[in-house]
């Protein structure tokens, strides 16, 4: 038996602008995907029981697909297995990361699975290779789309600055609240929409990207200094800029204002927008009030710490 | 008896950025303030019955103030009367413009009153002088604050581009829906907040202003061509940029999304924000649906046409 886990992530600042080379800042969060590998002679079994939404078993050989969500996870696992030409294994995936919400669920599953399978097969991949290979696998499964930030954060943990290259940052952890609208979002569609807006109105979108880049550049210093009130103000500004790019939604906006109006220092969309999640920065001692207000605004809300550990091998449990 | 009326206004694009010299675009709307002047020997009487919120009579000589809102209107009327050293008059003000909502209520009252009083006293002020004098009066009453756009639109009507100077634009009328949150807003406070943000984060706010300026520059051409779908997209973008400047609110956002989700081509805050009003651009034939949705979202919603006639003398009615 070999087991590994890897974290989900939030983009703190810089969504969409990063596609055009402006800096973005992301952090690994304390929600994790776990992969457990066992020998299973004559079979290749992928179990995804315990996934956030619902659980079941899927036997690839029998071709049964019982749940779209788990089938989605199984695609990444299958791609990892193909990478190693692996067989005679049982892979069990568990994850507490809401899928398809921009929290890096598929990257965490891919990285955890890759780490567990490679170790189980006796390979000793350096972290850098885990990140690179996982990124390649994600891109293959997602038909060419895949942020290097997701797989890098799932691998290295902590914080990353992305600006063409990916650069780790040593910053203290940050207590946040994540609000999930429960509305599916399509990253590809949102990214394409913003890029189309940029084609059409470069005089509008370029300065918006520039403003987002200015926020991302300031953010790391504020986390370093634990200047949360300024960090919150910049989250609010970044949220407006994402709204300006057309990736807001009524549900996201309701969660953002629910958080702000119950004492959040700042709140913004995280990820591609159009649905999915937002994040809020609680003020001193008001995390629970935020969560209550965000649930009242019909969101799934939970605390999350940004800046957590990356992929790690796990003991059997 | 001498009577005059003047229109309210909406800012279509460019709020806040205009303070730093970027272009803004405003239009006079078909809500009007009316001033009626009668001789009234031995007295100076200001009646504000028929104001949007509530009506009453105020006798300045007796010093009675019956309603804060009407007292607010009376301050502009008094300032006009002082300007002409007028006495022995009765001034009656009626207005269908919601006051303190960013719709130019005080400018319309000032301009209508100035036009009626000056004509009644035998002066024949050219429109340019009416606008300049009204602007000066507004600034005096508002302790130095006052947009030249409001008084210019109340005087000249139509559309105006403001970019340091005020420039009239010949453009076709535009059917809109105005949504009033009913939450008071403080223009001075919102403007000061944005300017403080600019002082603190010039690298963030300057590109935001630049993006807003780019929108304002494109807008007139789109109104000219009646390209409403692009105009709506730019309204949405401008709204996000105002959110980024920190002048959004939950109530404004709810009205904006209520309008967008029921078929508006675009929706945005109008005016300083933080409360007050938003505007929506209806799609073909869906003005009523917008109004219904905005009322459901707890707003006061009404149709308004931008680009209407400026100050005019009225027959007695």
């Amino acid at each position: 038996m070999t087991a590994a886990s890897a974290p989900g992530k939030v983009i703190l600042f810089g969504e969409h602008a990063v596609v055009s080379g402006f800096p973005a800042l992301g952090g690994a969060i304390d929600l994790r995907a776990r992969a457990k590998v066992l020998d299973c002679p004559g079979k290749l079994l992928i179990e995804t029981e315990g996934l956030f939404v619902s659980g079941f078993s899927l036997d690839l050989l029998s071709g049964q697909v019982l749940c779209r969500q788990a089938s989605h996870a199984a695609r990444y696992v299958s791609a990892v297995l193909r990478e190693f030409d692996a067989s005679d294994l049982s892979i069990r995936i568990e994850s507490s990361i809401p899928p398809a919400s921009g929290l890096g669920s598929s990257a965490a599953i891919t990285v955890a699975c890759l780490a567990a399978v490679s170790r189980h097969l006796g390979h000793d991949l350096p972290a850098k290779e885990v990140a690179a290979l996982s990124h390649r696998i994600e891109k293959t499964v997602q038909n060419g789309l895949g942020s290097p930030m997701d797989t890098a954060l799932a691998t290295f943990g902590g914080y990353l600055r992305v600006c063409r290259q990916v650069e780790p940052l040593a910053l203290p952890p940050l207590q946040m609240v994540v609000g999930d609208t429960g509305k599916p979002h399509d990253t590809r569609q949102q990214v394409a929409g913003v890029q189309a807006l940029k084609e059409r109105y470069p005089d509008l979108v370029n300065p918006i990207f520039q403003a987002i880049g200015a926020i991302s550049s300031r953010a790391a210093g504020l986390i370093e200094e634990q200047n949360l009130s300024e960090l919150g103000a910049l989250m609010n500004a970044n949220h407006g800029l994402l709204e300006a790019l057309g990736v807001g939604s009524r549900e996201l906006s309701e969660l953002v204002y629910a958080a702000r109006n119950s004492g959040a220092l700042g709140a913004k969309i995280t990820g591609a927008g159009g649905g999915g999640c937002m994040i809020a920065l609680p003020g001193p001692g008001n995390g629970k009030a935020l969560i209550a207000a965000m649930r009242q605004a019909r969101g799934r809300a939970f605390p999350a710490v940004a800046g957590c550990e990356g992929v790690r091998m796990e003991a059997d449990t």
Side-chain angles (χ1 to χ4, degrees), chain A residues 24-233:
Chain A
L25 180 67
I29 55 173
D30 56 341
L31 300 178
R32 302 182 77 85
R34 289 161 199 279
K36 193 157 108 177
V37 183
L38 287 166
D39 290 319
C40 184
K43 266 196 161 177
L44 188 56
L45 192 71
I46 302 175
E47 287 184 282
T48 50
E49 197 169 346
L51 276 188
F52 190 90
V53 171
S54 61
F56 71 100
S57 288
L58 164 71
D59 187 334
L60 279 191
L61 296 183
S62 79
Q64 271 190 292
V65 177
L66 300 174
C67 162
R68 192 169 159 270
Q69 190 49 57
S71 131
H72 180 75
R75 291 171 67 206
Y76 296 93
V77 179
S78 318
V80 170
L81 293 172
R82 269 197 302 280
E83 187 68 33
F84 291 94
D85 206 10
S87 63
D88 305 303
L89 290 180
S90 154
I91 320 284
R92 186 189 169 82
I93 303 290
E94 289 176 9
S95 174
S96 57
I97 309 164
S101 302
L103 298 180
S105 160
S106 63
I109 289 171
T110 306
V111 167
C113 184
L114 182 67
V117 168
S118 62
R119 178 69 63 90
H120 192 80
L121 297 177
H123 303 293
D124 193 15
L125 298 184
K128 207 169 164 183
E129 207 162 315
V130 171
L133 195 48
S134 300
H135 178 44
R136 186 156 58 72
I137 290 170
E138 267 224 309
K139 272 172 74 171
T140 307
V141 175
Q142 296 169 3
N143 296 319
L145 198 81
S147 155
M149 188 191 266
D150 289 20
T151 37
L153 280 169
T155 307
F156 301 110
Y159 294 89
L160 291 175
R161 180 176 186 273
V162 179
C163 183
R164 302 196 196 275
Q165 289 188 325
V166 170
E167 177 196 347
L169 299 176
L171 298 171
L174 199 59
Q175 180 68 58
M176 327 211 62
V177 172
V178 175
D180 186 352
T181 60
K183 299 275 170 186
H185 78 153
D186 181 334
T187 298
R188 181 186 296 270
Q189 190 189 324
Q190 298 299 321
V191 168
V194 171
Q195 291 298 312
L197 197 72
K198 181 168 174 257
E199 284 290 307
R200 183 153 198 94
Y201 306 116
D203 51 337
L204 166 60
V205 174
N206 285 330
I208 293 177
F209 282 180
Q210 197 186 326
I212 292 175
I215 291 175
S216 297
S217 300
R218 284 175 177 269
L222 296 174
I223 298 174
E224 178 77 59
E225 302 163 10
Q226 291 286 291
N227 186 339
L228 301 187
S229 65
E230 287 215 25
L231 194 70

